[in-house]
Amino acid sequence: QVQLVESGGGLVQAGGSLRLSCAASTNIFIIDTMGWYQQSPDNQRELVASVTRGGMTKYAASAEGRFTVSRSNVKNTVYLHMKSLKPEDTGVYYCSATYYKDGRWNDSWGQGTQVTVSP
């Protein structure tokens, strides 16, 4: 099991910036994609941004141009730099990691970190 520990959430005014971090506690399993999801009002987790081990990134349309996802494979850590934040970016952000174990790919989730953007 890969455990993910998130940090960096908080309260910020609209137009401000935040950086989220998520560290995976494993030196055994190979982690492929790491990403960030925002929990919607109906409790669905929607992709914000992801990055593969090789560095390929993917963004939600709402994050494109404002957010940057990056990672350190050495530290097994993924980051989300958020700028020009809007009130609609408010929510709980979850880190995810896809790792290989027992002949298949598995998903692990962090506990979530709250981001609140005030108008």
Side-chain angles (χ1 to χ4, degrees):
Q1 180 76 10
V2 171
Q3 293 191 339
L4 304 175
V5 179
E6 300 142 337
S7 61
L11 173 65
V12 65
Q13 287 189 328
S17 301
L18 280 175
R19 188 182 86 154
L20 307 183
S21 299
C22 172
S25 61
T26 179
N27 290 317
I28 300 175
F29 304 119
I30 295 175
I31 298 176
D32 184 17
T33 301
M34 299 186 78
W36 292 95
Y37 288 73
Q38 180 185 16
Q39 185 157 307
S40 66
D42 60 355
N43 288 329
Q44 298 298 313
R45 293 181 185 179
E46 300 173 345
L47 177 69
V48 175
S50 65
V51 56
T52 67
R53 187 173 185 83
M56 291 184 62
T57 59
K58 183 177 181 180
Y59 293 94
S62 60
E64 195 81 56
R66 297 188 301 127
F67 296 178
T68 302
V69 64
S70 61
R71 68 186 280 175
S72 165
N73 290 333
V74 172
K75 297 180 179 179
N76 277 330
T77 300
V78 63
Y79 307 95
L80 184 68
H81 296 254
M82 304 186 291
K83 64 179 184 179
S84 302
L85 282 161
K86 305 175 182 179
E88 51 263 44
D89 295 320
T90 294
V92 180
Y93 284 70
Y94 292 90
C95 172
S96 74
T98 302
Y99 63 99
Y100 196 76
K101 177 189 175 187
D102 296 335
R104 64 185 181 92
W105 292 99
N106 304 269
D107 291 324
S108 186
W109 294 89
Q111 79 283 0
T113 186
Q114 177 70 42
V115 171
T116 303
V117 184
S118 62

